Amino acid sequence: MPGHVHDDTAGRVTATEAAREAIAALRAAHGGPVMFVQSGGCCDGSDPMCYPDGELALGEADLLLGVVDGCTFHIDADLYAALGRPRLVLDVRPGTPGGFSLAAGDGLHFVSRVDPPGKEPN
């Protein structure tokens, strides 16, 4: 079941070129789009998790934040509200992730940051 789309959430995520390259590598390795879920943990565990086979079951409280290169990016409605209805930028960093976030492969892991208010998406 896809996450619910609300007028104020769709299109609220974009990605850096480095993240797009990591997504392209994952798509090639897995033969199709991957799924991202912005986690609500603390510290390093709050990075987005990547599910190469779309294996996370979405619930009624999950929102579709946007689509990046054909890959869906979801967030829990309560987390979305707690973060102040953010626009997120998906990026990658070297090394392995902390907490329960999942690696992007090739010695990288996905991270996200909040775009400043009023900033145009990439």
Side-chain angles (χ1 to χ4, degrees):
M1 169 207 287
H4 297 283
V5 178
H6 294 268
D7 289 341
D8 64 340
T9 61
R12 296 191 65 83
V13 64
T14 189
T16 65
E17 187 60 34
R20 291 181 187 279
E21 290 172 7
I23 290 170
L26 281 171
R27 288 190 73 161
H30 292 275
V34 297
M35 166 193 249
F36 292 93
V37 177
Q38 181 66 36
S39 64
C42 63
C43 307
D44 290 338
S46 61
D47 288 338
M49 295 181 287
C50 175
Y51 294 91
D53 296 316
E55 63 268 33
L56 181 73
L58 297 172
E60 291 295 319
D62 295 309
L63 303 175
L64 177 64
L65 200 62
V67 179
V68 178
D69 294 351
C71 303
T72 59
F73 194 108
H74 304 268
I75 190 169
D76 176 82
D78 289 339
L79 178 59
Y80 179 68
L83 291 175
R85 300 162 49 112
R87 179 180 300 279
L88 296 180
V89 178
L90 183 64
D91 202 356
V92 289
R93 288 194 185 141
T96 56
F100 49 81
S101 297
L102 306 180
D106 297 325
L108 301 171
H109 66 281
F110 288 107
V111 295
S112 61
R113 67 178 186 270
V114 176
D115 252 356
K119 184 175 190 293
E120 290 297 313
N122 293 352

